[in-house]
């Protein structure tokens, strides 16, 4: 019975991605060479609007209620977002929560960019779109990863774009095997065993926070806690078979500068304290009959986004039809999509992905400008 809802959900989800890729991102590529800033603004708008689509699908197809509490996310700020990684599908439920929680003038150009494992960028469709959205892919080779992180933060800072960057400090989702690994790590470090979260790895978080603080671009750190109330969708198969939870709680807690500082020890302690609190909160929730992480006093005061979600539902559901029509009837459009796809596959093989090319184009423009200024002064 679940497949009746699960399969249409997946078809609509992926068709919207491919339609957005072909209909918007492929024709937009030349804009990147003209202006990195405007290319990033336009694509961030598209991604922010698309983030509402899986949110709308979850609500209208599955009747999924995502209960959001805590502090609103200000889209006029740069933030670092950390969250417990309960399942491999957490991202699918985080998007609706962030869409509901975000306020501010820039909320229509404020997609949440994830720090992801490098193999994901090769997945056709979703992996490509995340590359084009300038998500940050890491290989877990620290010497390479810290260079990528530094370049990404420099890039966003120089474009003067507002961004929300999500990192899962646990590095993987909670399973019996990963819990056993976490327990061994705890024994080695003299830490207590956790049952509801994994012990966080602090290296990547500390580096990103320090880099953003040094560049003056970190306005706040947000700690998000997710819990699945009625059922836990452990992997992507749950999306196909329709095993989607009906009730999910996500709580956002904002921490301003002053509650942490740029020292490695302070940031490490900050993250470890958050995870200790998270373990206690989830343990208390599991042992009670509550349906929310916090009471009504912690309810987030957000605007009703039903109209925006409905607009996203209609737009992204219908988009594949005109895109498919033009692919079939317009050779020029078809060649643009084919050429862009060949280009994207090539940079995936020959480099670290499109996001590295985008940053490389920006850095090349800077070198040309410096050379021009130098020659102008010489003359």
């Amino acid at each position: 019975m679940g497949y009746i809802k699960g399969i249409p959900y997946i078809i609509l989800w992926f068709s919207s991605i491919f339609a957005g890729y072909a209909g918007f991102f492929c024709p937009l590529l030349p804009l990147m060479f003209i202006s990195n800033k405007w290319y990033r603004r336009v694509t961030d708008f598209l991604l922010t609007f698309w983030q509402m689509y899986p949110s709308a699908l979850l609500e209208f197809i599955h009747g999924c209620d995502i209960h959001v509490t805590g502090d609103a996310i200000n889209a006029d700020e740069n933030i670092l977002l950390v969250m417990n990684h309960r399942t491999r599908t957490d991202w699918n439920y985080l998007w609706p929560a962030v869409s509901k929680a975000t306020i501010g003038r820039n909320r229509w150009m404020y997609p949440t960019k994830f720090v992801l494992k490098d193999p994901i960028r090769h997945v056709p469709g979703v992996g490509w779109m995340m590359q084009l959205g300038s998500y940050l892919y890491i290989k877990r080779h620290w010497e390479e990863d810290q260079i990528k992180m530094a370049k990404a933060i420099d890039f966003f800072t120089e474009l003067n774009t507002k961004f929300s960057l999500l990192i899962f400090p646990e590095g993987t989702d909670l399973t019996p095997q990963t819990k056993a690994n976490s327990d061994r790590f705890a024994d080695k470090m003299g830490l207590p065993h956790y049952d509801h979260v994994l012990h966080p790895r602090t290296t990547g978080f500390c580096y990103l926070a320090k880099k953003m603080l040094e560049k003056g671009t970190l306005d706040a750190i947000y700690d998000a806690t997710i819990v699945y109330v009625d059922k836990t969708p452990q992997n992507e198969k749950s999306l196909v078979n329709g095993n989607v939870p009906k009730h999910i709680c996500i709580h956002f807690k904002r921490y301003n500068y002053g509650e942490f500082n740029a020292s490695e020890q302070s940031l490490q302690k900050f993250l470890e304290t958050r995870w200790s609190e998270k373990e206690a909160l989830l343990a208390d929730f599991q042992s009670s009959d509550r349906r929310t992480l916090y009471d009504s006093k912690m309810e987030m005061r957000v605007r009703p986004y039903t109209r925006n979600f409905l607009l996203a539902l209609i737009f992204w559901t219908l988009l594949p039809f005109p895109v498919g029509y033009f692919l079939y009837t317009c050779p020029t459009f078809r060649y643009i999509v084919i050429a862009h796809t060949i280009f994207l596959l090539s940079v995936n093989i020959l480099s670290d992905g499109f996001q590295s090319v985008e940053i490389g184009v920006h850095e090349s423009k800077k070198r040309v400008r410096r050379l021009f200024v130098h020659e102008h002064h010489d003359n």
Side-chain angles (χ1 to χ4, degrees), residues 33-315:
F33 297 95
I34 299 171
S35 171
N36 283 91
K37 183 173 183 177
W38 279 104
Y39 178 79
R40 182 62 17 230
R41 287 195 173 197
V42 174
T43 52
D44 279 352
F45 166 77
L46 290 169
L47 285 165
T48 302
F49 186 37
W50 180 84
Q51 276 183 185
M52 296 182 184
Y53 188 57
S55 312
L57 289 179
L58 283 170
E59 182 176 343
F60 287 101
I61 292 181
H62 291 292
C64 180
D65 174 32
I66 298 179
H67 190 77
V68 181
T69 56
D71 299 316
I73 295 172
N74 190 344
D76 300 318
E77 297 180 333
N78 297 317
I79 71 167
L80 189 58
L81 175 63
V82 295
M83 190 175 86
N84 58 309
H85 201 356
R86 179 61 187 86
T87 78
R88 284 172 50 176
T89 62
D90 288 335
W91 46 269
N92 196 48
Y93 305 101
L94 177 65
W95 277 325
V98 170
S99 295
K100 292 179 180 180
T102 302
I103 61 173
R105 293 170 301 170
N106 290 304
R107 68 185 183 87
W108 283 98
M109 292 185 294
Y110 198 73
T112 300
K113 303 177 189 297
F114 294 8
V115 179
L116 300 166
K117 299 174 185 176
D118 189 71
I120 297 175
R121 70 181 170 92
H122 296 286
V123 179
V126 62
W128 297 358
M129 289 295 285
M130 288 178 173
Q131 283 188 60
L132 297 169
S134 205
Y135 283 45
L136 182 55
Y137 289 94
I138 58 174
K139 296 181 178 179
R140 294 186 174 176
H141 298 152
W142 183 236
E143 291 76 14
E144 296 181 43
D145 291 341
Q146 64 180 322
I147 294 173
K148 287 183 182 179
M149 291 178 178
K151 286 185 175 181
I153 299 303
D154 288 342
F155 176 64
F156 295 141
T157 303
E158 290 167 11
L159 292 188
N160 195 28
T161 182
K162 301 300 180 183
F163 62 94
S164 166
L165 184 62
L166 168 73
I167 184 170
F168 293 108
E170 294 162 314
T172 187
D173 57 312
L174 178 60
T175 66
Q177 180 179 353
T178 58
K179 184 189 180 309
N181 293 338
S182 180
D183 289 345
R184 283 193 290 271
F185 173 79
D187 292 337
K188 179 180 177 182
M189 304 302 293
L191 300 170
H193 287 195
Y194 287 160
D195 295 319
H196 304 283
V197 294
L198 305 175
H199 276 280
R201 302 301 199 259
T202 60
T203 303
F205 164 78
C206 289
Y207 184 83
L208 284 171
K210 286 179 65 177
K211 181 67 177 178
M212 291 174 69
L213 286 168
E214 290 168 3
K215 302 293 290 188
T217 58
L218 183 59
D219 295 301
I221 295 176
Y222 279 76
D223 175 30
T225 302
I226 187 171
V227 62
Y228 300 94
V229 179
D230 55 321
K231 62 178 70 173
T232 303
Q234 194 63 49
N235 52 45
E236 293 81 0
K237 185 179 178 180
S238 65
L239 302 177
V240 179
N241 61 26
N243 188 30
V244 173
K246 297 295 183 183
H247 189 52
I248 300 167
C249 295
I250 298 183
H251 180 76
F252 293 100
K253 174 63 177 176
R254 175 190 172 94
Y255 294 90
N256 296 315
Y257 186 73
E259 298 176 81
F260 56 89
N261 61 53
S263 73
E264 185 93 16
Q265 185 177 7
S266 174
L267 289 167
Q268 182 176 341
K269 181 65 176 177
F270 170 85
L271 189 65
E272 291 173 344
T273 301
R274 300 290 78 77
W275 250 248
S276 177
E277 295 171 348
K278 202 183 296 282
E279 168 70 13
L281 173 65
L282 292 173
D284 180 63
F285 177 85
Q286 295 293 342
S287 63
S288 69
D289 58 356
R290 297 203 315 270
R291 297 277 294 173
T292 61
L293 283 170
Y294 288 94
D295 61 27
S296 59
K297 294 180 181 179
M298 298 295 293
E299 285 283 352
M300 185 177 294
R301 299 291 181 248
V302 297
R303 302 174 186 175
Y305 288 129
T306 303
R307 183 182 301 175
N308 296 341
F309 282 17
L310 182 60
L311 177 62
L313 181 69
I314 295 172
F315 180 85

Side-chain angles (χ1 to χ4, degrees), residues 20-31:
Y21 166 75
F24 294 118
F25 282 87
C26 292
L28 277 172
L29 180 62
L31 180 59

